[in-house]
Amino acid sequence: MDQLWTPWRFAYVTSAETAARAGVPKGLESWRGDLGCVFCNLIAAIDYAIKNGMSAEQAESAGGLVLRAQHNFICLNAFPYTSGHVMIVPYAHLDRFAGLPADAAHEMTALAQRTERALDRAYAPHGFNFGMNVGQSAGAGVAGHIHLHAMPRWVGDTSFITTVAETRVLPEDLETTWQRLRAAFAELK
Ligand SMILES: [Zn+2]
């Protein structure tokens, strides 16, 4: 039997989750709250900064927020498995995928398709992983708030020496990833 390849099972966000005010990005600490969830804190801190005069561009860059849709947003994984590793996250704090209302679930699927196109445009990968862990026993780093991982993959990328189009793909800093994906999503419209 083939072994399943599930890189999103690694605990990318576990260390952030246990920190106080987890998910509050650097530069957005003026929001003083703590909702006890990295994703809820992320959105609250970004919205607070914008409400208090920061440009959306600056606040969303600081938070790694790539795209806002009606029911879900797309943000960078702060501990990427590969460059371009993002998460599609509903605004609603839900711990079960089955609990997500149908319109939000449909939008999540549509966003996953857009993400595949955007990653293709930005990184020209050989393949993709999409995956969701529901519950701690399934490997969820943030078990209280469901999120769909999406990442580009390259043959041999686990060795971190992959080259594509004569450009070294890994590693790439998060600011660069944010700019590339922001542009790629904008170009899809
Ligand atoms: Zn949450």
Side-chain angles (χ1 to χ4, degrees):
M1 195 171 134
D2 289 342
Q3 199 148 20
L4 287 174
W5 179 242
T6 55
W8 57 85
R9 289 197 56 163
F10 294 94
Y12 310 101
V13 281
T14 303
S15 57
E17 188 189 23
T18 54
R21 281 160 43 79
V24 178
K26 276 199 187 93
L28 302 180
E29 297 94 341
S30 60
W31 179 69
R32 300 306 308 160
D34 187 1
L35 299 168
C37 167
V38 295
F39 299 121
C40 293
N41 280 355
L42 174 69
I43 287 295
I46 289 171
D47 285 345
Y48 180 87
I50 294 170
K51 210 174 131 194
N52 285 274
M54 190 180 283
S55 72
E57 177 93 358
Q58 194 185 342
E60 292 176 6
S61 168
L65 186 71
V66 176
L67 184 135
R68 281 184 206 252
Q70 193 182 349
H71 304 286
N72 302 268
F73 61 92
I74 301 176
C75 65
L76 301 184
N77 191 310
F79 305 93
Y81 187 81
T82 63
S83 287
H85 181 174
V86 297
M87 296 173 292
I88 304 165
V89 189
Y91 296 110
H93 183 88
L94 289 168
D95 63 358
R96 294 296 297 270
F97 184 45
L100 193 63
D103 49 356
H106 294 160
E107 187 191 77
M108 185 182 249
T109 305
L111 288 173
Q113 293 180 316
R114 274 171 77 183
T115 299
E116 184 185 310
R117 292 190 196 103
L119 289 174
D120 216 6
R121 182 176 278 263
Y123 293 98
H126 300 139
F128 306 87
N129 284 123
F130 289 90
M132 180 185 290
N133 307 316
V134 179
Q136 212 136 36
S137 63
V142 181
H145 195 141
I146 55 163
H147 50 283
L148 177 64
H149 290 272
M151 71 197 78
R153 299 302 306 273
W154 291 267
V155 173
D157 60 16
T158 51
S159 62
F160 285 76
I161 54 163
T162 303
T163 57
V164 169
E166 296 173 9
T167 307
R168 192 174 164 146
V169 173
L170 292 164
E172 175 181 87
D173 63 273
L174 290 174
E175 172 64 27
T176 303
T177 303
W178 182 82
Q179 284 173 356
R180 287 174 80 154
L181 289 181
R182 228 5 205 217
F185 273 105
E187 285 162 13
L188 289 179
K189 283 173 190 169

